[in-house]
Amino acid sequence: MKFTSVKNFFQPPAATLTHNLASISWNAAEWTFRQLGIKDRISGEDSVPAGQYVVMSNLETVFQEFKQQVAGRTSNFDRTFTRLQFQSLFAPTLVAGQCLSDQDLEVLLTFLSRDKGFIDYNGDIIRIRSSSDRSNIGPEDVAIASVKELTANLRHQTVALNLRVDSLNREIKSALSKNNRVAAQASLKSRKLAESSLVKRYATLNQLEDIAAKLQQASDQVQLVAVMKSSANALRSINTRVGGSDRVDEVMHQIREQMSEVDEVAAILAESTGETIDELEIQDELEALETETREAARLTKEKKEEVQEAHEIKEMHNELAKLPDIPTEIVSESDKSKTQAIEKQVAGLSLDHI
């Protein structure tokens, strides 16, 4: 884990580098003395002195959280704060369950401005950097931050005055319910003063909100003009590469000439070669082909019908083969009558004659 003391952290980078080199040199000499037995090893054990330290990994974590929270702030008005306003907005939210102290906030602001280059900070005004911003904080940034802070203060005052008026109204009602005219009159005077102050605060707040809207509009216009200027430069560069309207006209003229040349070549290739074609011969050959096609179709149809007929005859023979044979002996009528007479005699017999 990399960490450094708060005192060393706030030192300029050059001074910190000199201090680190001196520490490295001294540590190397101390190790040499220990190896030679000049310095007692036990008394020279490494230990972290008591004090306040900056843990760099924690700063990186807070930096990532801060970037996420300000990702939607695109206009210069939304990216500019006084230190007090910055502290009220971000100190309670950057670390879960903890509010950053004044020293923590100063360490963070120094880290964001000096080490990360993510913000501009002059001790009083904080501005989240954008590619279109100047390197230094200007008077307009100070004005924006001051108006925002004063507006926030007035809103807080109006909330407090509204609560004061509500409290005085309750006191007046309570005093009247107890027939305490003196207390009711005193509370009424206090309410009048609070209402008068509230009216003045609201009037000032409306003026500040108008000024803030104008500042925001002007800031957006500055960004718009910057974008338009960069777009104009880009268009100028593109037009320079194109070569202007004269060059485009020349290119289009060349294209038209080449297209005309292609059309002429195509027309020449499409012209007749002079060979004559006998139309009657073509018609006779076409009729012969049609006749041949019809004859082939007729033969194919007849062959198909013959095959179908042979198949039906074969099926008929198969069905006939499955029928039973015709009996060869035929019973005569006389034999039938004799058989019937015998059956009657047998039927007339009874069991007593047996």
Side-chain angles (χ1 to χ4, degrees), residues 101-165:
S101 64
D102 290 341
Q103 189 177 48
D104 294 336
L105 187 65
E106 190 65 27
V107 169
L108 176 62
L109 292 174
T110 303
F111 178 73
L112 294 177
S113 60
R114 184 190 66 191
D115 300 337
K116 291 297 182 180
F118 191 73
I119 65 171
D120 294 316
Y121 177 51
N122 63 359
D124 297 321
I125 306 299
I126 298 138
R127 183 186 64 186
I128 301 172
R129 283 185 183 175
S130 175
S131 57
S132 60
D133 291 336
R134 300 185 309 274
S135 58
N136 297 324
I137 294 176
E140 63 273 17
D141 299 318
V142 177
I144 289 173
S146 300
V147 168
K148 289 175 66 175
E149 182 176 356
L150 185 55
T151 302
N153 290 336
L154 284 175
R155 286 175 179 168
H156 178 73
Q157 292 177 20
T158 55
V159 172
L161 286 172
N162 279 315
L163 294 175
R164 174 65 174 165
V165 170

Side-chain angles (χ1 to χ4, degrees), residues 177-346:
S177 64
K178 297 177 182 179
N179 294 324
N180 191 345
R181 184 179 178 83
V182 176
Q185 187 176 2
S187 298
L188 183 59
K189 289 181 180 180
S190 298
R191 191 190 70 177
K192 291 292 184 181
L193 292 174
E195 288 176 346
S196 177
S197 298
L198 187 60
V199 170
K200 294 178 182 179
R201 296 295 189 280
Y202 274 126
T204 306
L205 183 60
N206 290 333
Q207 292 178 355
L208 286 176
E209 288 178 346
D210 290 339
I211 294 173
K214 296 297 182 182
L215 286 173
Q216 187 170 7
Q217 182 180 3
S219 177
D220 294 339
Q221 288 174 351
V222 169
Q223 292 183 349
L224 177 60
V225 171
V227 171
M228 294 175 66
K229 184 178 179 180
S230 62
S231 301
N233 293 332
L235 288 173
R236 186 182 300 109
S237 176
I238 293 172
N239 288 329
T240 301
R241 292 199 300 269
V242 170
S245 59
D246 294 337
R247 183 180 176 186
V248 174
D249 189 22
E250 181 182 356
V251 171
M252 294 303 298
H253 180 67
Q254 293 176 0
I255 290 175
R256 286 192 291 268
E257 287 183 351
Q258 296 303 318
M259 291 177 65
S260 299
E261 186 72 19
V262 171
D263 293 339
E264 290 179 2
V265 172
I268 293 173
L269 293 176
E271 290 180 356
S272 175
T273 58
E275 297 181 0
T276 58
I277 299 175
D278 190 354
E279 296 293 337
L280 294 176
E281 183 180 354
I282 292 177
Q283 291 295 330
D284 293 340
E285 186 175 355
L286 180 61
E287 290 178 359
L289 290 173
E290 290 177 348
T291 303
E292 184 179 352
T293 302
R294 287 195 297 270
E295 184 66 20
R298 185 183 64 79
L299 293 175
T300 302
K301 183 178 180 182
E302 290 179 355
K303 185 176 181 180
K304 186 176 180 181
E305 290 176 352
E306 290 177 358
V307 171
Q308 182 68 22
E309 185 177 358
H311 180 69
E312 291 177 355
I313 292 172
K314 184 177 180 181
E315 288 184 351
M316 186 180 295
H317 283 297
N318 292 334
E319 293 293 334
L320 291 175
K322 294 178 181 179
L323 295 176
D325 296 334
I326 300 174
T328 56
E329 296 182 358
I330 301 174
V331 181
S332 62
E333 292 295 333
S334 59
D335 292 337
K336 288 182 180 181
S337 60
K338 291 180 180 180
T339 302
Q340 291 176 355
I342 293 171
E343 289 177 352
K344 288 181 180 180
Q345 292 177 1
V346 172

Side-chain angles (χ1 to χ4, degrees), residues 65-99:
E65 177 65 24
F66 178 70
K67 283 205 306 184
Q68 292 181 2
Q69 292 190 16
V70 300
R73 297 177 180 269
T74 56
S75 67
N76 188 33
F77 189 87
D78 293 333
R79 293 183 287 106
T80 307
F81 315 90
T82 61
R83 191 182 187 283
L84 181 61
Q85 188 181 17
F86 186 92
Q87 184 174 8
S88 63
L89 286 174
F90 298 107
T93 61
L94 290 177
V95 179
Q98 181 179 350
C99 184

